[in-house]
Amino acid sequence: MKLKLKNVFLAYFLVSIAGLLYALVQLGQPCDCLPPLRAAAEQLRLKDLRISQLQADLHRPPPAPAQPPEPEALPTIYVITPTYARLVQKAELVRLSQTLSLVPRLHWLLVEDAEGPTPLVSRLLAASGLLFTHLAVLTPKAQRLREGEPGWVRPRGVEQRNRALDWLRGRGGAVGGEKDPPPPGTRGVVYFADDDNTYSRELFKEMRWTRGVSVWPVGLVGGLRFEGPQVQDGRVVGFHTAWEPNRPFPLDMAGFAVALPLLLAKPNAQFDATAPRGHLESSLLSHLVDPKDLEPRAANCTQVLVWHTRTEKPKMKQEEQLQRQGQGSDPAIEV
């Protein structure tokens, strides 16, 4: 037993001596472990730097939100609205004026179908808070709708829209509000907004930077859910419409806007009261643009931002009955 333990101890001693001698030999040899150590140290340094940057970002105040352009830097939108006396006139104009009041840099051209300004419209404009020009021109008797005729038989608002175009071109005619037309070089866009339609304020953002003639769909018109241009690769290639699709411009009056410089450069461009049914828009646009050069807006004409709504004509049977009895509503209260 003693002999065996002695042998084991001797073997352990010899192995230890051999290991020690090998270690002493290696101490004198060059070591290639420095590059990995340097790489690890560089990684640690980069991580420390990134942590410092993140900590600095946490303590840095958030950036200020992007500011919209100042109103003075925006092109002016000239909104032309023909209107005529009826029971719902004030209600229609109040609704429209409150939509327009949400739009910066807007000038409302309100044109009455009358010989002169009426007190109702004059008071409404004065209370609107809008920059406005009040105009008035009576539709000739030969062009007026006769009793019992449907509204589509004769184009309406022709004289009124043309009077507004005359004012923009410096031919006068204002009876209230801003009397002077825009000076030469004014950046702007002209839009024809009937008083009974419904408008999203987003629509006015879409039209503001019109270069020539911009277009978009109109909802609830022409017997369709919507009517408007068809766009491919950013260009108008056709029109979604059911009635007379071969018209030069099968568009609704609410479906386009015209750059003011373009209108001023074409002094004879106006609406034709003798145009066939459905061709009133084309009678103006044919003087201004080729269909292939129309500028699609509203996400390439895939969004409806204006609707051709109409207010139902109020039924006044009870009012008429009370009037016959001498008990009608107080006429001094404006409705």
Side-chain angles (χ1 to χ4, degrees):
M1 182 69 181
K2 291 182 180 180
L3 181 61
K4 290 182 179 179
L5 289 174
K6 185 178 180 179
N7 291 338
V8 170
F9 176 78
L10 181 60
Y12 178 79
F13 177 76
L14 293 174
V15 170
S16 299
I17 290 298
L20 179 60
L21 291 173
Y22 178 79
L24 290 173
V25 170
Q26 292 299 315
L27 285 175
Q29 300 298 320
C31 179
D32 60 352
C33 58
L34 193 57
L37 290 175
R38 286 177 176 172
E42 180 64 16
Q43 289 180 354
L44 289 174
R45 188 188 70 80
L46 293 175
K47 288 181 179 179
D48 288 342
L49 179 62
R50 179 58 179 159
I51 291 172
S52 299
Q53 291 173 342
L54 291 174
Q55 289 175 336
D57 290 341
L58 287 174
H59 294 90
R60 185 180 296 120
Q67 296 298 317
E70 292 295 327
E72 293 76 12
L74 297 173
T76 301
I77 299 177
Y78 294 90
V79 176
I80 296 174
T81 301
T83 187
Y84 64 99
R86 74 254 197 219
L87 272 173
V88 298
Q89 182 185 30
K90 183 177 180 180
E92 303 279 32
L93 292 177
V94 165
R95 179 176 60 178
L96 177 56
S97 69
Q98 292 183 358
T99 297
L100 299 182
S101 69
L102 302 173
V103 183
R105 198 76 172 169
L106 183 142
H107 189 143
W108 195 15
L109 278 60
L110 189 56
V111 194
E112 291 196 69
D113 187 351
E115 292 181 347
T118 63
L120 183 151
V121 175
S122 297
R123 285 192 293 267
L124 185 144
L125 284 170
S128 70
L130 293 164
L131 175 63
F132 70 88
T133 294
H134 191 178
L135 301 151
V137 57
L138 188 66
T139 299
K141 187 175 181 180
Q143 298 177 20
R144 302 183 74 87
L145 282 175
R146 298 181 176 84
E147 188 68 30
E149 282 186 332
W152 49 263
V153 171
R154 303 172 190 274
R156 290 181 292 181
V158 178
E159 296 295 322
Q160 289 72 40
R161 296 184 186 98
N162 286 339
R163 176 57 60 90
L165 294 178
D166 285 343
W167 180 83
L168 286 170
R169 290 164 173 152
R171 299 169 188 166
V175 296
E178 178 62 47
K179 301 292 182 68
D180 296 327
T186 298
R187 295 185 306 155
V189 59
V190 179
Y191 181 55
F192 302 95
D194 290 349
D195 62 6
D196 55 353
N197 290 343
T198 302
Y199 306 90
S200 166
R201 64 179 178 178
E202 296 299 318
L203 175 68
F204 300 95
K205 296 179 183 179
E206 293 287 331
M207 73 175 69
R208 190 179 296 276
W209 301 98
T210 298
R211 299 183 301 274
V213 176
S214 55
V215 291
W216 46 80
V218 178
L220 311 178
V221 67
L224 300 173
R225 291 177 57 246
F226 68 90
E227 187 179 74
Q230 296 172 324
V231 179
Q232 185 176 354
D233 297 328
R235 299 178 69 86
V236 174
V237 296
F239 298 89
H240 175 64
T241 184
W243 189 79
E244 282 202 31
N246 294 324
R247 287 174 288 162
F249 293 88
L251 294 167
D252 186 77
M253 190 69 68
F256 67 91
V258 183
L260 177 63
L262 176 60
L263 267 175
L264 299 182
K266 305 283 187 178
N268 296 321
Q270 62 177 10
F271 294 100
D272 183 1
T274 65
R277 175 189 171 193
H279 289 249
L280 185 61
E281 295 84 357
S282 297
S283 70
L284 172 73
L285 293 175
S286 296
H287 294 281
L288 300 174
V289 68
D290 190 278
K292 66 179 177 60
D293 295 324
L294 295 171
E295 302 166 25
R297 295 288 194 270
N300 276 332
C301 297
T302 61
Q303 296 177 349
V304 174
L305 301 174
V306 55
W307 296 263
H308 198 278
T309 49
R310 291 180 179 176
T311 303
E312 181 182 6
K313 185 177 180 180
K315 298 177 176 63
M316 292 286 110
K317 290 184 178 180
Q318 301 302 322
E319 181 68 41
E320 294 167 359
Q321 182 178 345
L322 288 178
Q323 286 178 354
R324 288 192 293 268
Q325 298 171 5
Q327 302 177 4
S329 301
D330 186 351
I333 296 178
E334 188 177 87
V335 177

